[in-house]
Amino acid sequence: MTELPRVVVAAPGSGAGKTTVTMALIAALRAAGERVQPFKVGPDYIDPSHLAAAAGRPAFNLDTFFLAAAQVRGLFAHAMRGATVGVVEGVMGMFDGRSGAGEAGSTADAAAALGAPVVLVVDAAGMAGSIAAVARGFADFDPRVRVGGVIANRVGSERHAELLGEALEAAGLPLLGWLPNDPAVALPGRHLGLVLAGEAAPAPEALARAAQQIDAGAVLRLARGAGPLPAPAPVFPGRQPGRIRLAWAEDAAFRFTYPETRELLERLGAEILPFSPLADTALPAADALYIGGGYPELHAEALAANRPMLEAIRGFRGPVLAECGGYMYLAEALETEGRRYPMAGLAPGVARMADRPVLGYRDVVALAASPVAEAGWRLRGHEFHYARLEPGSRPAWRQADGTAVEGFTDGRVLASFIHLYLLARPRAAERFIAAGERARAAAG
């Protein structure tokens, strides 16, 4: 059993301001001298970028659909090295998971796995005494989860905050802080959610003011009262000596990757060689290629204009793993806003932007051998995209319930809209490394 102070930030539903409040809480704790390790429940890439910027440490994803409870604890403990308190931002509403209340993937399930108290974020605009009914209902709903207090968001004035505190006190829950109804603190959004850190953020002075309204001492007492962390399970293998060189797409168009995936591949012997499909004209000397998700639709013209890089991608002979935005980049073309842009052409078909998203967890079975799976292997991941691309005659996956096929593979290239969570199936990562080793040996 390990003493690791920790707290989970949850909300009744999406749009309550969890990310902004979590950033302000991180700022308040850092101002109090704490080393804060951020986490995000669920498969999100965008919110963690903001949490990492606020904390100055990479944010890890904690997801009970991908990992068993003991593995979630193991990943938490691994990331907490050198930190004094862990702050976990929840996903959607506290009890919203894969399906139904408290199901796998929910914030409540992650809080229960960690034995962590919850700070409930409530959008208090337009309410006063009603905040007590909302908070009390969430506190009493699931006996596995302990709600330790409330942070109110979008508060109109100090007097409004006093009324909220009085109502909560009568309900037996403390008001741990409040954020004003201030547009300068809010994070702007786009079609996949919030914009990424580095593109926009709350004004620093506005965030600092918001942090001053949070009782960091009270939150710390709550986090330190979490008790010993139940027994964690190891999640990463021991480090292996260098086995392959892995070209890793990383720029404004391709930024959606899990830090867990990168660390897993590095531990299995991959030397990560970052490159930019937007700016570079050649690939690094590598044995394997990874192109993660991102926003290629926002950079389609520049990607298409970089013909030397497209030729380098077409001429690459090692194993290729491309996910979501990477799949769109490997397609024959990308259509967006009425224009068609040529892409790398390693995967058949044209990626077209649509009005409605495809999103959700995916439990998939490999239809053919690929760089990460033998036919019949079962892996897990998630989708969140607006593009459409017909899988053609060589799909990579079918969903485990048999409802759909997806992606493309020719054995060397795997391109799919599914973001695989490789830490849940390390043998898939090992297979990718081994494929790179074979390519390295074949190249002499």
Side-chain angles (χ1 to χ4, degrees):
M1 305 288 272
T2 306
E3 295 282 355
L4 292 174
R6 57 203 181 275
V7 67
V8 171
V9 180
S14 295
K18 290 189 302 295
T19 303
T20 302
V21 169
T22 304
M23 291 174 68
L25 174 56
I26 290 171
L29 292 170
R30 292 187 74 184
E34 300 298 319
R35 297 186 300 277
V36 184
Q37 174 57 49
F39 300 88
K40 172 68 180 180
V41 177
D44 190 3
Y45 293 111
I46 299 174
D47 292 0
S49 73
H50 294 284
L51 303 183
R57 296 170 65 101
F60 285 75
N61 295 76
L62 301 175
D63 195 307
T64 57
F65 174 73
F66 293 142
L67 300 175
Q71 292 174 305
V72 167
R73 293 191 289 270
L75 181 56
F76 179 86
H78 172 82
M80 280 291 290
R81 292 174 301 178
T84 59
V85 61
V87 175
V88 184
E89 183 195 346
V91 61
M92 299 185 294
M94 189 160 83
F95 300 105
D96 301 324
R98 190 184 186 195
S99 61
E103 291 286 339
S106 72
T107 303
D109 211 37
L114 293 171
V118 170
V119 172
L120 188 70
V121 175
V122 179
D123 182 349
M127 71 165 65
S130 295
I131 195 172
V134 173
R136 192 71 262 167
F138 273 77
D140 294 342
F141 186 78
D142 187 342
R144 302 177 306 157
V145 180
R146 177 168 67 94
V147 174
V150 173
I151 294 178
N153 194 23
R154 303 189 180 103
V155 176
S157 65
E158 290 192 11
R159 178 55 183 156
H160 186 194
E162 290 174 4
L163 293 172
L164 297 170
E166 291 167 4
L168 287 166
E169 184 179 8
L173 290 167
L175 181 65
L176 299 171
W178 59 276
L179 269 64
N181 193 1
D182 182 358
V185 182
L187 286 163
R190 64 157 65 101
H191 57 286
L192 293 187
L194 301 174
V195 298
L196 287 159
E199 297 178 325
E205 63 277 9
L207 192 63
R209 288 196 305 270
Q212 291 174 1
Q213 301 295 338
I214 294 176
D215 188 342
V219 175
L220 270 174
R221 288 190 293 274
L222 186 64
R224 290 168 178 165
L229 185 72
V235 289
F236 288 106
R239 290 194 178 275
Q240 299 183 27
R243 296 167 62 186
I244 68 165
R245 297 158 300 184
L246 176 57
W248 185 279
E250 191 171 81
D251 60 19
F254 302 101
R255 292 180 60 181
F256 294 168
T257 54
Y258 296 116
E260 305 94 282
T261 294
R262 182 168 181 150
E263 180 166 348
L264 174 62
L265 291 170
E266 286 179 324
R267 282 174 169 266
L268 289 173
E271 178 189 358
I272 303 295
L273 304 176
F275 75 97
S276 169
L278 284 169
D280 294 334
T281 57
L283 287 169
D287 312 302
L289 171 61
Y290 173 79
I291 309 174
Y295 292 113
E297 67 274 19
L298 300 182
H299 304 274
E301 185 173 3
L303 289 169
N306 191 354
R307 294 179 181 177
M309 177 55 73
L310 291 174
E311 289 296 329
I313 298 287
R314 293 185 194 112
F316 186 74
R317 292 293 174 259
V320 179
L321 174 58
E323 298 179 335
C324 203
Y327 184 17
M328 296 159 65
Y329 183 57
L330 291 195
E332 295 167 20
L334 168 59
E335 287 187 1
T336 179
E337 297 184 346
R339 296 185 62 184
R340 176 180 287 205
Y341 300 93
M343 294 288 126
L346 290 186
V350 176
R352 296 180 173 90
M353 301 305 292
D355 294 330
R356 293 186 177 183
V358 175
L359 71 161
Y361 287 112
R362 297 292 181 259
D363 196 348
V364 294
V365 177
L367 291 170
S370 77
V372 300
E374 290 280 2
W377 282 18
R378 192 164 175 170
L379 279 77
R380 287 188 165 185
H382 88 284
E383 289 185 79
F384 190 2
H385 56 90
Y386 280 77
R388 304 291 190 272
L389 211 165
E390 292 299 320
S393 61
R394 289 192 281 183
W397 311 106
R398 67 170 172 82
Q399 293 197 34
D401 61 9
T403 56
V405 297
E406 199 276 338
F408 163 81
T409 188
D410 61 5
R412 181 182 70 87
V413 175
L414 171 62
S416 165
F417 278 120
I418 296 172
H419 295 275
L420 296 171
Y421 193 77
L422 294 179
L423 192 60
R425 299 290 186 273
R427 67 174 180 170
E430 169 60 36
R431 180 178 172 87
F432 186 52
I433 298 292
E437 285 184 310
R438 292 192 295 272
R440 186 173 192 167

PDB file of all heavy atoms in Angstrom, residues 144-171:
ATOM      1  N   ARG A 144     -19.442   3.591  -3.718  1.00  0.00           N
ATOM      2  CA  ARG A 144     -18.010   3.390  -3.967  1.00  0.00           C
ATOM      3  C   ARG A 144     -17.251   4.714  -4.007  1.00  0.00           C
ATOM      4  O   ARG A 144     -16.020   4.731  -3.901  1.00  0.00           O
ATOM      5  CB  ARG A 144     -17.783   2.689  -5.308  1.00  0.00           C
ATOM      6  CG  ARG A 144     -18.439   1.341  -5.481  1.00  0.00           C
ATOM      7  CD  ARG A 144     -18.157   0.830  -6.890  1.00  0.00           C
ATOM      8  NE  ARG A 144     -18.554   1.806  -7.909  1.00  0.00           N
ATOM      9  CZ  ARG A 144     -18.057   1.851  -9.145  1.00  0.00           C
ATOM     10  NH1 ARG A 144     -17.119   0.990  -9.517  1.00  0.00           N
ATOM     11  NH2 ARG A 144     -18.480   2.761 -10.008  1.00  0.00           N
ATOM     12  N   VAL A 145     -17.965   5.827  -4.223  1.00  0.00           N
ATOM     13  CA  VAL A 145     -17.341   7.108  -4.512  1.00  0.00           C
ATOM     14  C   VAL A 145     -17.656   8.104  -3.402  1.00  0.00           C
ATOM     15  O   VAL A 145     -18.804   8.242  -2.989  1.00  0.00           O
ATOM     16  CB  VAL A 145     -17.840   7.660  -5.866  1.00  0.00           C
ATOM     17  CG1 VAL A 145     -17.184   8.999  -6.172  1.00  0.00           C
ATOM     18  CG2 VAL A 145     -17.548   6.661  -6.984  1.00  0.00           C
ATOM     19  N   ARG A 146     -16.626   8.814  -2.934  1.00  0.00           N
ATOM     20  CA  ARG A 146     -16.813   9.818  -1.888  1.00  0.00           C
ATOM     21  C   ARG A 146     -16.618  11.219  -2.459  1.00  0.00           C
ATOM     22  O   ARG A 146     -15.527  11.579  -2.902  1.00  0.00           O
ATOM     23  CB  ARG A 146     -15.805   9.594  -0.750  1.00  0.00           C
ATOM     24  CG  ARG A 146     -15.887  10.666   0.365  1.00  0.00           C
ATOM     25  CD  ARG A 146     -15.096  10.251   1.572  1.00  0.00           C
ATOM     26  NE  ARG A 146     -13.672  10.192   1.345  1.00  0.00           N
ATOM     27  CZ  ARG A 146     -12.819  11.194   1.595  1.00  0.00           C
ATOM     28  NH1 ARG A 146     -13.288  12.337   2.074  1.00  0.00           N
ATOM     29  NH2 ARG A 146     -11.527  11.045   1.377  1.00  0.00           N
ATOM     30  N   VAL A 147     -17.697  11.997  -2.489  1.00  0.00           N
ATOM     31  CA  VAL A 147     -17.610  13.394  -2.903  1.00  0.00           C
ATOM     32  C   VAL A 147     -17.192  14.214  -1.687  1.00  0.00           C
ATOM     33  O   VAL A 147     -17.901  14.249  -0.678  1.00  0.00           O
ATOM     34  CB  VAL A 147     -18.949  13.897  -3.466  1.00  0.00           C
ATOM     35  CG1 VAL A 147     -18.885  15.396  -3.760  1.00  0.00           C
ATOM     36  CG2 VAL A 147     -19.314  13.125  -4.738  1.00  0.00           C
ATOM     37  N   GLY A 148     -16.037  14.864  -1.788  1.00  0.00           N
ATOM     38  CA  GLY A 148     -15.489  15.573  -0.635  1.00  0.00           C
ATOM     39  C   GLY A 148     -15.756  17.061  -0.625  1.00  0.00           C
ATOM     40  O   GLY A 148     -15.462  17.733   0.368  1.00  0.00           O
ATOM     41  N   GLY A 149     -16.316  17.594  -1.699  1.00  0.00           N
ATOM     42  CA  GLY A 149     -16.594  19.021  -1.745  1.00  0.00           C
ATOM     43  C   GLY A 149     -16.913  19.451  -3.156  1.00  0.00           C
ATOM     44  O   GLY A 149     -16.910  18.648  -4.100  1.00  0.00           O
ATOM     45  N   VAL A 150     -17.189  20.746  -3.294  1.00  0.00           N
ATOM     46  CA  VAL A 150     -17.660  21.304  -4.557  1.00  0.00           C
ATOM     47  C   VAL A 150     -16.825  22.530  -4.918  1.00  0.00           C
ATOM     48  O   VAL A 150     -16.451  23.324  -4.044  1.00  0.00           O
ATOM     49  CB  VAL A 150     -19.152  21.708  -4.449  1.00  0.00           C
ATOM     50  CG1 VAL A 150     -19.622  22.444  -5.703  1.00  0.00           C
ATOM     51  CG2 VAL A 150     -20.018  20.482  -4.181  1.00  0.00           C
ATOM     52  N   ILE A 151     -16.518  22.666  -6.198  1.00  0.00           N
ATOM     53  CA  ILE A 151     -16.031  23.923  -6.751  1.00  0.00           C
ATOM     54  C   ILE A 151     -17.099  24.424  -7.706  1.00  0.00           C
ATOM     55  O   ILE A 151     -17.488  23.719  -8.643  1.00  0.00           O
ATOM     56  CB  ILE A 151     -14.685  23.776  -7.463  1.00  0.00           C
ATOM     57  CG1 ILE A 151     -13.584  23.397  -6.459  1.00  0.00           C
ATOM     58  CG2 ILE A 151     -14.296  25.066  -8.185  1.00  0.00           C
ATOM     59  CD1 ILE A 151     -12.211  23.173  -7.077  1.00  0.00           C
ATOM     60  N   ALA A 152     -17.602  25.615  -7.474  1.00  0.00           N
ATOM     61  CA  ALA A 152     -18.645  26.195  -8.310  1.00  0.00           C
ATOM     62  C   ALA A 152     -18.012  26.982  -9.453  1.00  0.00           C
ATOM     63  O   ALA A 152     -17.050  27.723  -9.249  1.00  0.00           O
ATOM     64  CB  ALA A 152     -19.550  27.097  -7.480  1.00  0.00           C
ATOM     65  N   ASN A 153     -18.547  26.815 -10.635  1.00  0.00           N
ATOM     66  CA  ASN A 153     -18.037  27.523 -11.804  1.00  0.00           C
ATOM     67  C   ASN A 153     -19.065  28.526 -12.301  1.00  0.00           C
ATOM     68  O   ASN A 153     -20.265  28.381 -12.057  1.00  0.00           O
ATOM     69  CB  ASN A 153     -17.705  26.522 -12.916  1.00  0.00           C
ATOM     70  CG  ASN A 153     -16.872  27.140 -14.023  1.00  0.00           C
ATOM     71  OD1 ASN A 153     -16.191  28.143 -13.805  1.00  0.00           O
ATOM     72  ND2 ASN A 153     -16.924  26.560 -15.204  1.00  0.00           N
ATOM     73  N   ARG A 154     -18.584  29.529 -13.009  1.00  0.00           N
ATOM     74  CA  ARG A 154     -19.426  30.582 -13.607  1.00  0.00           C
ATOM     75  C   ARG A 154     -20.287  31.276 -12.547  1.00  0.00           C
ATOM     76  O   ARG A 154     -21.497  31.433 -12.695  1.00  0.00           O
ATOM     77  CB  ARG A 154     -20.274  30.015 -14.740  1.00  0.00           C
ATOM     78  CG  ARG A 154     -19.430  29.356 -15.839  1.00  0.00           C
ATOM     79  CD  ARG A 154     -20.233  28.978 -17.065  1.00  0.00           C
ATOM     80  NE  ARG A 154     -19.347  28.365 -18.052  1.00  0.00           N
ATOM     81  CZ  ARG A 154     -19.287  27.048 -18.284  1.00  0.00           C
ATOM     82  NH1 ARG A 154     -20.069  26.224 -17.616  1.00  0.00           N
ATOM     83  NH2 ARG A 154     -18.462  26.565 -19.189  1.00  0.00           N
ATOM     84  N   VAL A 155     -19.622  31.669 -11.478  1.00  0.00           N
ATOM     85  CA  VAL A 155     -20.279  32.359 -10.361  1.00  0.00           C
ATOM     86  C   VAL A 155     -20.340  33.855 -10.666  1.00  0.00           C
ATOM     87  O   VAL A 155     -19.370  34.456 -11.136  1.00  0.00           O
ATOM     88  CB  VAL A 155     -19.523  32.089  -9.049  1.00  0.00           C
ATOM     89  CG1 VAL A 155     -20.140  32.868  -7.890  1.00  0.00           C
ATOM     90  CG2 VAL A 155     -19.526  30.592  -8.754  1.00  0.00           C
ATOM     91  N   GLY A 156     -21.486  34.472 -10.374  1.00  0.00           N
ATOM     92  CA  GLY A 156     -21.709  35.849 -10.777  1.00  0.00           C
ATOM     93  C   GLY A 156     -21.051  36.897  -9.909  1.00  0.00           C
ATOM     94  O   GLY A 156     -20.708  37.977 -10.390  1.00  0.00           O
ATOM     95  N   SER A 157     -20.862  36.601  -8.611  1.00  0.00           N
ATOM     96  CA  SER A 157     -20.321  37.611  -7.701  1.00  0.00           C
ATOM     97  C   SER A 157     -19.911  36.940  -6.399  1.00  0.00           C
ATOM     98  O   SER A 157     -20.207  35.757  -6.167  1.00  0.00           O
ATOM     99  CB  SER A 157     -21.379  38.676  -7.404  1.00  0.00           C
ATOM    100  OG  SER A 157     -22.481  38.103  -6.691  1.00  0.00           O
ATOM    101  N   GLU A 158     -19.254  37.703  -5.541  1.00  0.00           N
ATOM    102  CA  GLU A 158     -18.891  37.166  -4.228  1.00  0.00           C
ATOM    103  C   GLU A 158     -20.141  36.835  -3.420  1.00  0.00           C
ATOM    104  O   GLU A 158     -20.155  35.848  -2.676  1.00  0.00           O
ATOM    105  CB  GLU A 158     -18.005  38.160  -3.483  1.00  0.00           C
ATOM    106  CG  GLU A 158     -16.619  38.302  -4.086  1.00  0.00           C
ATOM    107  CD  GLU A 158     -15.663  39.056  -3.183  1.00  0.00           C
ATOM    108  OE1 GLU A 158     -16.021  39.289  -1.998  1.00  0.00           O
ATOM    109  OE2 GLU A 158     -14.563  39.393  -3.648  1.00  0.00           O
ATOM    110  N   ARG A 159     -21.167  37.652  -3.528  1.00  0.00           N
ATOM    111  CA  ARG A 159     -22.412  37.359  -2.820  1.00  0.00           C
ATOM    112  C   ARG A 159     -23.042  36.071  -3.325  1.00  0.00           C
ATOM    113  O   ARG A 159     -23.554  35.269  -2.530  1.00  0.00           O
ATOM    114  CB  ARG A 159     -23.394  38.533  -2.983  1.00  0.00           C
ATOM    115  CG  ARG A 159     -24.748  38.294  -2.313  1.00  0.00           C
ATOM    116  CD  ARG A 159     -24.596  37.936  -0.840  1.00  0.00           C
ATOM    117  NE  ARG A 159     -25.878  37.636  -0.223  1.00  0.00           N
ATOM    118  CZ  ARG A 159     -26.042  36.879   0.865  1.00  0.00           C
ATOM    119  NH1 ARG A 159     -24.970  36.325   1.441  1.00  0.00           N
ATOM    120  NH2 ARG A 159     -27.226  36.689   1.361  1.00  0.00           N
ATOM    121  N   HIS A 160     -22.968  35.850  -4.641  1.00  0.00           N
ATOM    122  CA  HIS A 160     -23.468  34.591  -5.206  1.00  0.00           C
ATOM    123  C   HIS A 160     -22.692  33.408  -4.615  1.00  0.00           C
ATOM    124  O   HIS A 160     -23.285  32.390  -4.227  1.00  0.00           O
ATOM    125  CB  HIS A 160     -23.312  34.620  -6.733  1.00  0.00           C
ATOM    126  CG  HIS A 160     -23.917  33.455  -7.441  1.00  0.00           C
ATOM    127  ND1 HIS A 160     -23.640  33.164  -8.767  1.00  0.00           N
ATOM    128  CD2 HIS A 160     -24.775  32.468  -7.035  1.00  0.00           C
ATOM    129  CE1 HIS A 160     -24.294  32.087  -9.126  1.00  0.00           C
ATOM    130  NE2 HIS A 160     -24.985  31.638  -8.090  1.00  0.00           N
ATOM    131  N   ALA A 161     -21.387  33.559  -4.502  1.00  0.00           N
ATOM    132  CA  ALA A 161     -20.568  32.489  -3.929  1.00  0.00           C
ATOM    133  C   ALA A 161     -20.962  32.221  -2.475  1.00  0.00           C
ATOM    134  O   ALA A 161     -20.993  31.062  -2.031  1.00  0.00           O
ATOM    135  CB  ALA A 161     -19.089  32.850  -4.026  1.00  0.00           C
ATOM    136  N   GLU A 162     -21.253  33.283  -1.709  1.00  0.00           N
ATOM    137  CA  GLU A 162     -21.679  33.100  -0.311  1.00  0.00           C
ATOM    138  C   GLU A 162     -22.968  32.296  -0.232  1.00  0.00           C
ATOM    139  O   GLU A 162     -23.123  31.398   0.622  1.00  0.00           O
ATOM    140  CB  GLU A 162     -21.875  34.461   0.352  1.00  0.00           C
ATOM    141  CG  GLU A 162     -20.564  35.219   0.586  1.00  0.00           C
ATOM    142  CD  GLU A 162     -20.816  36.629   1.107  1.00  0.00           C
ATOM    143  OE1 GLU A 162     -22.008  36.967   1.344  1.00  0.00           O
ATOM    144  OE2 GLU A 162     -19.835  37.380   1.277  1.00  0.00           O
ATOM    145  N   LEU A 163     -23.916  32.588  -1.108  1.00  0.00           N
ATOM    146  CA  LEU A 163     -25.183  31.853  -1.114  1.00  0.00           C
ATOM    147  C   LEU A 163     -24.956  30.376  -1.447  1.00  0.00           C
ATOM    148  O   LEU A 163     -25.564  29.484  -0.836  1.00  0.00           O
ATOM    149  CB  LEU A 163     -26.143  32.477  -2.126  1.00  0.00           C
ATOM    150  CG  LEU A 163     -26.647  33.882  -1.803  1.00  0.00           C
ATOM    151  CD1 LEU A 163     -27.429  34.456  -2.976  1.00  0.00           C
ATOM    152  CD2 LEU A 163     -27.503  33.866  -0.538  1.00  0.00           C
ATOM    153  N   LEU A 164     -24.076  30.114  -2.409  1.00  0.00           N
ATOM    154  CA  LEU A 164     -23.768  28.731  -2.773  1.00  0.00           C
ATOM    155  C   LEU A 164     -23.128  28.002  -1.603  1.00  0.00           C
ATOM    156  O   LEU A 164     -23.472  26.838  -1.303  1.00  0.00           O
ATOM    157  CB  LEU A 164     -22.837  28.710  -3.980  1.00  0.00           C
ATOM    158  CG  LEU A 164     -23.389  29.308  -5.283  1.00  0.00           C
ATOM    159  CD1 LEU A 164     -22.283  29.443  -6.327  1.00  0.00           C
ATOM    160  CD2 LEU A 164     -24.529  28.459  -5.831  1.00  0.00           C
ATOM    161  N   GLY A 165     -22.191  28.661  -0.913  1.00  0.00           N
ATOM    162  CA  GLY A 165     -21.530  28.046   0.236  1.00  0.00           C
ATOM    163  C   GLY A 165     -22.491  27.739   1.354  1.00  0.00           C
ATOM    164  O   GLY A 165     -22.401  26.673   1.993  1.00  0.00           O
ATOM    165  N   GLU A 166     -23.429  28.646   1.606  1.00  0.00           N
ATOM    166  CA  GLU A 166     -24.421  28.409   2.663  1.00  0.00           C
ATOM    167  C   GLU A 166     -25.303  27.209   2.329  1.00  0.00           C
ATOM    168  O   GLU A 166     -25.593  26.374   3.200  1.00  0.00           O
ATOM    169  CB  GLU A 166     -25.279  29.661   2.841  1.00  0.00           C
ATOM    170  CG  GLU A 166     -24.517  30.835   3.440  1.00  0.00           C
ATOM    171  CD  GLU A 166     -25.283  32.146   3.321  1.00  0.00           C
ATOM    172  OE1 GLU A 166     -26.441  32.113   2.835  1.00  0.00           O
ATOM    173  OE2 GLU A 166     -24.723  33.198   3.695  1.00  0.00           O
ATOM    174  N   ALA A 167     -25.718  27.108   1.083  1.00  0.00           N
ATOM    175  CA  ALA A 167     -26.564  25.982   0.676  1.00  0.00           C
ATOM    176  C   ALA A 167     -25.817  24.662   0.806  1.00  0.00           C
ATOM    177  O   ALA A 167     -26.367  23.659   1.290  1.00  0.00           O
ATOM    178  CB  ALA A 167     -27.051  26.188  -0.753  1.00  0.00           C
ATOM    179  N   LEU A 168     -24.566  24.642   0.388  1.00  0.00           N
ATOM    180  CA  LEU A 168     -23.781  23.413   0.458  1.00  0.00           C
ATOM    181  C   LEU A 168     -23.477  23.031   1.902  1.00  0.00           C
ATOM    182  O   LEU A 168     -23.504  21.840   2.255  1.00  0.00           O
ATOM    183  CB  LEU A 168     -22.480  23.575  -0.332  1.00  0.00           C
ATOM    184  CG  LEU A 168     -22.634  23.579  -1.851  1.00  0.00           C
ATOM    185  CD1 LEU A 168     -21.369  24.080  -2.526  1.00  0.00           C
ATOM    186  CD2 LEU A 168     -22.992  22.175  -2.355  1.00  0.00           C
ATOM    187  N   GLU A 169     -23.185  24.010   2.740  1.00  0.00           N
ATOM    188  CA  GLU A 169     -22.913  23.726   4.150  1.00  0.00           C
ATOM    189  C   GLU A 169     -24.108  23.047   4.797  1.00  0.00           C
ATOM    190  O   GLU A 169     -23.953  22.084   5.574  1.00  0.00           O
ATOM    191  CB  GLU A 169     -22.570  25.012   4.887  1.00  0.00           C
ATOM    192  CG  GLU A 169     -22.175  24.793   6.347  1.00  0.00           C
ATOM    193  CD  GLU A 169     -21.815  26.079   7.050  1.00  0.00           C
ATOM    194  OE1 GLU A 169     -22.014  27.161   6.461  1.00  0.00           O
ATOM    195  OE2 GLU A 169     -21.333  26.013   8.195  1.00  0.00           O
ATOM    196  N   ALA A 170     -25.297  23.510   4.472  1.00  0.00           N
ATOM    197  CA  ALA A 170     -26.506  22.892   5.019  1.00  0.00           C
ATOM    198  C   ALA A 170     -26.681  21.458   4.538  1.00  0.00           C
ATOM    199  O   ALA A 170     -27.296  20.628   5.219  1.00  0.00           O
ATOM    200  CB  ALA A 170     -27.732  23.718   4.638  1.00  0.00           C
ATOM    201  N   ALA A 171     -26.111  21.156   3.358  1.00  0.00           N
ATOM    202  CA  ALA A 171     -26.196  19.803   2.805  1.00  0.00           C
ATOM    203  C   ALA A 171     -25.026  18.932   3.226  1.00  0.00           C
ATOM    204  O   ALA A 171     -24.930  17.770   2.805  1.00  0.00           O
ATOM    205  CB  ALA A 171     -26.262  19.871   1.282  1.00  0.00           C
TER     206      ALA A 171
END
